Amino acid sequence: MKRIITLLTCALILTAMQALGQMVQTYEGPFESGEATYEYTENNMHEKVFSGRFSYTEVRHIEERGGDNEILITGNFKEDKKHLAWAVTVKPVEAGGRTETIIGNYIDGEKSGLWTHRLIDNETNKEVKHVKASFIKNHFRGPF
């Protein structure tokens, strides 16, 4: 009887540990050269697996763009792969300049659907460039 109770207790502890490992957790803080907020789970090796919302901000000096620029990246992950809509925006910290935005969709880590690339002149608020492209499994589809 003691052996059965011990086995059941061990099984219960292992099940509870696995369930806790699969809980979605949130990280907020330093990430690469900026700050990030993202959701993740942990696998059996206690490694982070991106799973859920992701956002990243950084101020980077880009000489070709006239100085300091804010970079904002938002999107979602599913089992460590980019999934659903992602957006990358680069805009100058100082007034003026141009804001560049790329928006696209991923399905299980592969580009899929309509992607747009826009460049806006911040002084006139006019669109300088607007490009559209469609993808299926990382390959262009249709006109570009």
Side-chain angles (χ1 to χ4, degrees):
M1 186 67 163
K2 283 186 177 182
R3 191 178 288 192
I4 292 173
I5 292 173
T6 303
L7 287 173
L8 287 174
T9 303
C10 287
L12 182 61
I13 290 171
L14 289 173
T15 303
M17 286 175 52
Q18 185 176 7
L20 288 174
Q22 293 301 317
M23 287 180 20
V24 175
Q25 301 176 55
T26 302
Y27 170 83
E28 284 187 57
F31 184 83
E32 295 186 3
S33 300
E35 296 283 321
T37 300
Y38 59 83
E39 295 175 336
Y40 68 96
T41 58
E42 288 186 0
N43 64 16
N44 294 339
M45 302 297 289
H46 301 288
E47 299 167 322
K48 286 183 181 178
V49 176
F50 290 109
S51 199
R53 294 174 300 188
F54 177 91
S55 66
Y56 174 80
T57 58
E58 172 190 346
V59 174
R60 182 183 299 176
H61 186 80
I62 305 172
E63 196 63 41
E64 299 80 25
R65 294 183 61 93
D68 289 343
N69 286 264
E70 182 181 9
I71 298 169
L72 173 62
I73 302 171
T74 59
N76 289 283
F77 279 98
K78 177 182 171 187
E79 297 172 5
D80 237 12
K81 296 178 183 172
K82 291 180 180 178
H83 194 68
L84 304 175
W86 278 76
V88 177
T89 300
V90 179
K91 65 180 180 179
V93 172
E94 301 292 325
R98 293 181 172 175
T99 298
E100 186 170 9
T101 303
I102 298 172
I103 299 173
N105 200 51
Y106 286 90
I107 295 180
D108 293 326
E110 295 182 326
K111 292 176 187 155
S112 184
L114 181 65
W115 281 64
T116 59
H117 179 193
R118 291 187 174 165
L119 193 58
I120 305 288
D121 184 309
N122 293 335
E123 290 180 14
T124 63
N125 204 30
K126 292 195 179 188
E127 193 170 73
V128 176
K129 179 183 2 178
H130 184 183
V131 179
K132 294 180 185 180
S134 290
F135 290 87
I136 293 181
K137 294 187 177 186
N138 280 338
H139 297 287
F140 281 114
R141 181 188 81 172
F144 175 70

